[in-house]
Amino acid sequence: METFLGYDDVIKKFFSSGEGHLFEHWNELSATERKEFIEELSHIDFRLVTELKSLIKRESHVEMQFEPAPYISLNPLSDEYARAKEVGESHLRNGKVAAFVVAGGQGSRLGYEGPKGCYPLGEISGKSLFQIHAEKILKYSQKYGVRIPWLIMTSQSNHHQTVEFLRSHNNFGIEPSDLFIFSQAMVPSLDLDGKLVLESPTRLFKNPDGHGGSLTALASSGVLDALIGRGIETISYFQVDNPLVKIIDPVFIGVHLLQNAEVSSKGLPKIGPEEKIGVFVNFPNGRLGVIEYSDLPEERAKERDADGKLKFLMGSPAIHLFQCEFIRKITSEGQVRLPFHIAKKKLKVWKQGTVVEIDGLKFEKFVFDAIPLAERSIVFEMRREEEFAPVKNLTGVDSVESARALMNNLFKEWLTKKGIEIPPKVRIVEISPLLAVEAEDLPQIAIPNKEMVYLE
Ligand code: UTP
């Protein structure tokens, strides 16, 4: 094999680690490509690769001793609710909250060309998910008389497109100094034999390190320090594909603060034992956490209490509050060591001069694995119809279709709550977040009697 000065060590390292197959096409590469390839390979963290390989052989790492997690449920008419709202609103007015959306995923199920946040979800307006989130943040900022920073985590696969999309839309009105966009880390994917694979002649196949990579990325990007420097204490975390999320919820924030929690999570009652959603659990050491639905044995998922309610009732919609100091603490060594979860996926890899689809393994960290690291953590019950409409697919369950229907239902509910009459011809209502993020923001308006009504 022909090599160049300085390349030998890298090449030797890969051969001695059983990864010599990566050089099968070496002789066909140009001098520039070789340089690029070696540059790519020299950044590989072999300790990480060894760790990933060892995971393939290991049984599940999941702690199987657990009981259902306790949760807090507040009646909106109660004094506790009013008190929590007051505390949360004061925290917001004092400029102590930032909004954090994780948008680094590959959105493969949706099959949309481009970052999922750019998907035009608004049924009438055609507003993208990013625009819906941005406008909510602007509305909350206006309501509480502050500028709420917006953090967006991207990944190598969609960073430039996301930045360009926001730039070309003037960040949907968010001031550049309030916008923090940063990328998560990538992890090598492996084939079923545990070998590294290529994505192109000069690049290894990698995938974003999961939403669990968000806490490390916050710290390593310097954004966490910048926020702390700005007086932010609490980060409100959500996923890009939930258009109904209450990005800022003063009651949730108030409960979180009153309970002195380091991490708080919203929980929604599961529809039934078979619903495919992670559940909140209590581990033997008294710490809370989330168990993936696939790790909850069927007989346990079906357990019911004396009132006939599911014992493992609270599912996780991936809405959390993190105290900045907690993130600082758990990332003090540069990164949070959350476990990797393995997913068997189809990978389009570059092999013997062409792109082929193979079965492979992707490794991801999940953000909920940080919950057991918190000394104080709570689960707060929410109403599903008010804030959960995941967009995973184009049609069917958890889809563009179902999310639009849920948005329509909620907007109509707001109008009814406000005593605004919905004329008979009206089939679809869309409300701009700039007008209202909850029923009480709506002015008393007359709705025209036509099929589609957009209120802005
Ligand atoms: P999902 O787990 O639903 O993945 O992400 P996805 O990439 O959006 O879609 P599929 O599975 O490929 O169809 C839930 C949330 O976590 C973010 C996603 O952007 C979404 O907001 N996420 C996921 C990241 O930010 N980084 C990741 O590595 C994975």
Side-chain angles (χ1 to χ4, degrees):
M1 175 181 287
E2 188 191 345
T3 60
F4 290 78
L5 206 61
Y7 290 5
D8 285 10
D9 288 347
V10 177
I11 296 174
K12 267 190 208 141
K13 177 85 189 150
F14 276 80
F15 270 93
S16 63
S17 310
E19 302 288 355
H21 61 282
L22 295 175
F23 297 90
E24 276 168 4
H25 63 310
W26 179 258
N27 288 335
E28 281 100 66
L29 295 181
S30 68
T32 320
E33 285 171 331
R34 285 179 185 181
K35 194 160 177 272
E36 213 178 296
F37 189 36
I38 294 295
E39 172 72 13
E40 161 87 352
L41 297 182
S42 61
H43 287 114
I44 279 295
D45 175 352
F46 269 96
R47 280 225 312 257
L48 173 65
V49 175
T50 309
E51 183 191 336
L52 300 179
K53 289 182 182 198
S54 72
L55 292 177
I56 307 175
K57 295 179 203 117
R58 227 179 59 183
E59 290 288 302
S60 165
H61 64 271
V62 178
E63 163 66 87
M64 290 307 282
Q65 298 281 325
F66 50 76
E67 292 303 320
Y71 60 92
I72 297 173
S73 192
L74 290 185
N75 176 345
L77 303 174
S78 66
D79 289 345
E80 292 106 307
Y81 187 96
R83 171 83 187 117
K85 191 164 183 221
E86 194 184 310
V87 169
E89 285 181 344
S90 151
H91 202 57
L92 281 160
R93 282 202 197 90
N94 290 330
K96 297 196 179 298
V97 183
F100 179 20
V101 64
V102 285
Q106 294 173 310
S108 42
R109 283 169 285 174
L110 187 60
Y112 172 64
E113 272 300 313
K116 213 194 240 185
C118 306
Y119 189 85
L121 192 75
E123 193 163 6
I124 304 174
S125 67
K127 282 181 184 176
S128 62
L129 282 158
F130 279 133
Q131 182 166 6
I132 294 171
H133 296 319
E135 292 185 351
K136 283 190 193 179
I137 292 169
L138 289 174
K139 182 68 179 175
Y140 293 119
S141 297
Q142 182 202 45
K143 277 168 78 105
Y144 300 110
V146 283
R147 279 174 30 191
I148 298 171
W150 187 21
L151 327 179
I152 303 176
M153 184 179 81
T154 60
S155 61
Q156 199 176 299
S157 51
N158 64 20
H159 183 78
H160 294 294
Q161 279 171 293
T162 302
V163 169
E164 185 48 33
F165 182 75
L166 289 162
R167 195 202 55 76
S168 65
H169 291 93
N170 206 11
N171 303 333
F172 298 108
I174 303 275
E175 289 290 329
S177 56
D178 296 332
L179 187 63
F180 298 83
I181 310 186
F182 55 96
S183 281
Q184 65 186 110
M186 303 290 283
V187 197
S189 308
L190 301 178
D191 67 15
L192 294 185
D193 297 325
K195 300 276 188 206
L196 291 166
V197 280
L198 296 175
E199 178 189 81
S200 74
T202 56
R203 295 192 81 86
L204 281 172
F205 197 106
K206 293 182 225 144
N207 61 273
D209 67 347
H211 42 65
S214 60
L215 304 177
T216 297
L218 257 176
S220 62
S221 61
V223 171
L224 184 66
D225 283 343
L227 294 174
I228 293 172
R230 193 173 153 146
I232 299 293
E233 291 177 5
T234 309
I235 292 178
S236 181
Y237 169 105
F238 63 103
Q239 300 191 333
V240 75
D241 53 15
N242 180 9
L244 278 196
V245 63
K246 287 186 191 173
I247 295 177
I248 297 294
D249 180 348
V251 181
F252 183 35
I253 294 169
V255 176
H256 165 79
L257 294 173
L258 288 165
Q259 293 287 327
N260 209 11
E262 290 180 306
V263 180
S264 292
S265 308
K266 286 220 172 140
L268 49 79
K270 278 178 66 172
I271 296 169
E274 58 294 313
E275 187 181 0
K276 290 182 173 164
I277 189 166
V279 291
F280 288 101
V281 299
N282 200 354
F283 292 116
N285 63 2
R287 303 252 170 139
L288 301 190
V290 171
I291 289 287
E292 275 190 278
Y293 66 85
S294 48
D295 288 324
L296 182 66
E298 198 184 322
E299 62 282 10
R300 294 216 77 188
K302 287 183 176 159
E303 282 173 14
R304 294 189 183 264
D305 64 17
D307 303 331
K309 253 194 194 172
L310 284 179
K311 275 194 183 171
F312 291 93
L313 183 65
M314 283 296 137
S316 172
I319 304 171
H320 308 281
L321 294 171
F322 290 98
Q323 286 304 96
C324 288
E325 280 310 324
F326 169 73
I327 303 177
R328 176 126 90 178
K329 185 172 74 182
I330 63 173
T331 54
S332 61
E333 285 168 13
Q335 62 160 316
V336 206
R337 293 202 56 82
L338 299 181
F340 278 105
H341 298 247
I342 309 180
K344 198 171 161 189
K345 294 261 168 94
K346 296 272 177 219
L347 310 181
K348 283 201 172 94
V349 303
W350 197 90
K351 219 172 172 182
Q352 289 160 348
T354 180
V355 176
V356 288
E357 195 171 80
I358 62 161
D359 286 321
L361 304 169
K362 284 189 176 179
F363 298 83
E364 287 192 334
K365 296 174 182 177
F366 294 163
V367 77
F368 57 64
D369 283 324
I371 299 175
L373 304 179
E375 277 166 40
R376 284 282 306 153
S377 177
I378 59 151
V379 177
F380 182 62
E381 184 179 4
M382 66 182 231
R383 246 189 88 214
R384 178 190 294 259
E385 306 76 44
E386 280 184 359
E387 47 186 316
F388 190 51
V391 179
K392 303 291 181 193
N393 308 293
L394 208 51
T395 55
V397 179
D398 294 345
S399 65
V400 169
E401 218 172 62
S402 63
R404 284 183 176 158
L406 288 163
M407 290 166 83
N408 187 27
N409 291 346
L410 183 68
F411 294 144
K412 286 183 179 162
E413 187 183 306
W414 287 358
L415 293 174
T416 309
K417 202 167 163 190
K418 222 25 206 193
I420 299 171
E421 197 194 323
I422 306 172
K425 270 197 199 152
V426 177
R427 196 170 60 84
I428 301 163
V429 176
E430 189 183 337
I431 299 178
S432 165
L434 294 174
L435 181 70
V437 285
E438 55 188 326
E440 66 188 43
D441 299 334
L442 285 173
Q444 283 299 332
I445 34 176
I447 306 291
N449 190 16
K450 55 179 198 177
E451 200 188 343
M452 294 199 189
V453 174
Y454 181 57
L455 302 174
E456 57 186 326

